Every structure is written in structure tokens, then in C-alpha cells.
Amino acid sequence: MNAEMPIGTHLETSETAYLRAPKLNRHTFWCGQSGSGKTYALGVVLEQVLLHTHLPLVILDPNSDFVHLDSPQDSASEEAAAQLASRDVRILRPSSPGDRHLQVRFVDMDIRSRAAVLQLDPVLDAEEYNAMLRVGAEYTFGDDRGLATWLENHEDPLLRRLALRLQNLGVLEWDMWAWGGRDATDVINELPDATVVDLGGFDSAAQLQASALAVLDRLWAQRHERTGRLVVIDEAHNLAAPDAGTPLARALTERIVQIAAEGRKYGIWLLLSTQRPSKLHPNVISQCDNLALMKMSSTRDLDELGQIFGFAPSELLERSPRFTQGQALFAGGFASEPQLVQMGERLTREGGSDVPIGLR
Ligand SMILES: Nc1ncnc2c1ncn2[C@@H]1O[C@H](COP(=O)(O)OP(=O)(O)OP(=O)(O)O)[C@@H](O)[C@H]1O
Ligand SMILES: [Mg+2]
């Protein structure tokens, strides 16, 4: 296999265009307005990563777009289909039964993240927050359901209040808690070629955020193992918004900001996709060394990108408003030189596509 991954054709010459797989060991920002073809194109690249590398993918998928990454399309060549079918792709979904059920362990989340799940603010809820920090030191049974009982029966009234809070917020009823069982990161740690964490289909944003945070907390906690991984976050504004409004959303943004700042040396590389730069926390974007840009009409957004990604030539950035669907500019380490590309075809099935309109 080759380090150069074919992803489509050069716009000017129609020759095959490549990305350099070894340069995915830095963070990547993927940007373009709605419908420009980000998710489709991202799928093209991830398929090539599966075909060409041993780089384990962890895909946090808020829109259930990659839940068929294990299913080659009929149109894929026999060889590619056979290779893709041989890759170990695990799809974890809230609705799936058994091993494929998306589950996370509350007790393995960072203690501050657990406080955020309980909507505890360190200043406004100082006493309860502090009690929560003590739970981390005192509670060692390692089982979520046991934690609820332990809190309920604790002699300290503050800890009993935490139990009430868990009940009142309905957190205990959330379907994705693994209790003492196997969780998403246990699956990720078996190093399948890809793990798709389907974050669509939850009843609340809090469940989506808590699931993502639980996975990222554990990857961060085990960062010293230095297992190289590409953590892909499509619709990243759901997870790393600059104006996160709840303690949970803030904790998630902060975790991603931290991984963006320090993860690279531990082999936690991010690939984040969203519609406009302003939808993502600036401290995340500023850490990205690779840029993929699809159609974007807003000159303000393009100016901002030009300032952040000085390596992307302005004459190529300026082409973006005239891109048609599936056209992209790639710049940074993963492109041998800044290049305009017409993306190739997907080899696996797309997930959550546009809502169809019935025709009479
Ligand atoms: N290169 C392509 N070839 C064929 N169809 C494409 C291509 N790119 C995108 N599409 C189709 O266009 C639609 C929109 O594309 P996509 O979902 O990738 O956009 P997006 O940029 O991710 O939008 P959003 O920001 O709303 O998620 C999809 O139905 C997809 O199948
Ligand atoms: Mg999309």
C-alpha cells in the first residue's frame, strides 16, 4: 500500500489527486457551507485511510452520517469492496442491541465532566460541586448504579443532594450508561480499524455531549500510551462551540480545546468539520495544520480562514465561492502542495442523507 491516498482529480488537469496519509498526524480543519459536500468528501478520505493505513479512526458522528462505513456500495470496484469488507469497522449506535449498543461509563469520566453532567457550576453551586469532587476520591466501587445507591444512602446531606440531582435531571434513565459493563472506549481500545460512535438519535443534546465527552475523557486519560489515532468529528460545532451555554457543553469544548493544544504529541489527532470557522472555538482552529475548504460564499469567513491558514494561497481561497458540490481546496502538510480537487466517489454507503421530498 501507498502513503499517497487517491481522493479525486485535480480541477485543472483532471489528473488523480492525492493526500499524504502520514501527515494526518496533525490536526485538520474541514470547512464549507451546508450542502457543499463536506460529509460526502470526508467519507471519501476516511475510506482511503481505511484502505491505505493502519491508523485507527474514531469517528464521532452527530448526524449518523457514517453508520454504513462498513458497507461497500455496489458501484465500488471488487478489489476495493473486498478490502473494505475485510477492515474491522465497529458501528456503535444508541439503538443497536448487544455489543453494538453505544454505551459509556459515568464513573470513568473525568470528575469535572461528571459535575458537568449534573449541571453543577463550580462557582454558583460551590458546595455541591465540591462534594462532587470528593466523590471522586471516596467512591471506589467502580460501578455507576452502585454510585447512585451509595450517594442516596450517604450520611453527608450534600452527597444525598447529588443523588437527588441525578434523579431530577433524569440522568440515571439515560440509555447510554454502561453501568459496570463494556463501554465505547473499551471497543476503541481493541484497536479496530474504525469505530463509529453514532451520536445521532439521542433524545437530548446532553446525552450526545455526555457520550462524546466520556469517550474523549478516556482517550485523554490514556494519552501517555501514545497510540496514534485520528479522532474525526463531523458537525464539530455540536461539540466544540465557542459559545457553549451549559456546563456540559463547556466541559466538552474545553476537552477538545485541550486535545487540540496538546494532543498531537500524544498521538491524538483531530479532524474537525463544520460550516464556518466562527462556529468552532478559535483555540481549536488555530491548532490545525491541514485545511480542507469546500464551497463557502461568505467573504468574511474566507478572510478569517486566510488569516488563520497563512499557508493557503489567497488566490485559491478566493475560488471557493465558485466551487460546485464536491470541489475542495486542500492545503497544509497533507497536500504535497495547495491543490484544488474534484472529489471522487464514495465506496461505502452514505448514512443520514437529506430529507427527500415526495414527488407527485
Ligand atoms: N461529490 C459528490 N458526489 C455526489 N453527491 C454528492 C457529492 N458531495 C455531496 N453529495 C450529495 O449532496 C448532498 C449534500 O452533501 P453533504 O451532506 O456531504 O454536505 P455537507 O457539506 O456535509 O452539508 P451539511 O453542512 O449540511 O452537513 C448529499 O446528499 C450528498 O450525497
Ligand atoms: Mg455534513
Side-chain angles (χ1 to χ4, degrees), residues 356-360:
I357 295 177
L359 300 176
R360 291 177 198 280

Side-chain angles (χ1 to χ4, degrees), residues 32-41 63 65 234-235 275 294 325-326 342-345 350 353-354:
Q33 65 198 43
S34 180
S36 59
K38 295 182 298 298
T39 301
Y40 187 99
N63 208 23
D65 280 312
D234 195 11
E235 312 240 336
Q275 292 166 355
M294 304 196 74
Q325 192 177 60
Q342 174 68 54
M343 298 303 298
E345 281 185 22
E350 286 182 82
S353 55
D354 291 353

Side-chain angles (χ1 to χ4, degrees), residues 4-23:
E4 300 274 318
M5 306 185 295
I7 53 158
T9 51
H10 286 281
L11 274 195
E12 315 293 347
T13 63
S14 298
E15 282 171 14
T16 305
Y18 297 91
L19 285 183
R20 293 150 61 167
K23 300 296 175 160

Side-chain angles (χ1 to χ4, degrees), residues 339-357:
Q339 49 184 288
L340 300 180
V341 175
Q342 174 68 54
M343 298 303 298
E345 281 185 22
R346 287 282 303 264
L347 301 171
T348 60
R349 280 173 55 209
E350 286 182 82
S353 55
D354 291 353
V355 178
I357 295 177

